[in-house]
Amino acid sequence: MDPTELHAFVVEDNPSLCETLVGTLQELTCVRVIGTGHTEAQAANWLSQHMSDWDLLVIDLFLRGGSGMHLVEGLAVRASWQKVVLFSNYVTAGVRKRGAQLGVDAVFDKSIEIDALVDYCIRQCVLRGQALARGLNGAGDAPPARRPIPLPAPTSPPA
């Protein structure tokens, strides 16, 4: 296990888009996707059980079951090294503003900003590597200890 890799959780209700996004991030960046959720409830449940196991959370706004924005609202407490990204087809100035108010680190439009998301992830990988070299996680804290996380079997969204 590479200590500089970013452990990510992806919340996306479209299975083919989720698979493509996971593949893209894992192929082009140091991101390792350790889980996915298709609904707000699935994601909230996973996050409550793995509070310090993730470094990057990629969330779609509109989910078949719930809302990505509601999920973000529930993330009031997270570690300084944990980054939250909204990734949606419905990015507006209002979404960007609300995301910023809730502490979202970045917002990307699925239809035109996939390259920007990849660049963002690469930058986070570089920053993590630099922080680990200094013995920090970028916020003055010790980097999180990595423990193996069993990858769950893929789940299908409800029909």
Side-chain angles (χ1 to χ4, degrees), residues 3-56:
T4 62
E5 69 186 5
L6 295 178
H7 289 178
F9 187 80
V10 175
V11 185
E12 170 59 60
D13 63 348
N14 180 319
S16 62
L17 183 55
C18 186
E19 183 179 329
T20 300
L21 179 60
V22 168
T24 298
L25 293 178
Q26 291 188 151
E27 183 176 330
L28 299 178
T29 74
C30 75
V31 169
R32 178 172 160 245
V33 177
I34 58 173
T36 61
H38 302 292
T39 67
E40 179 184 346
Q42 283 178 334
N45 182 52
W46 189 92
L47 291 166
S48 71
Q49 295 176 29
H50 301 275
M51 293 175 67
S52 64
D53 295 332
W54 59 275
D55 303 302
L56 176 66

Side-chain angles (χ1 to χ4, degrees), residues 6 8 20 22 50 60-61 92-93 123 125 127 132 134:
L6 295 178
T20 300
V22 168
H50 301 275
D60 186 14
L61 279 180
T92 64
R123 178 73 178 139
C125 295
L127 291 173
L132 287 169
R134 293 188 315 269

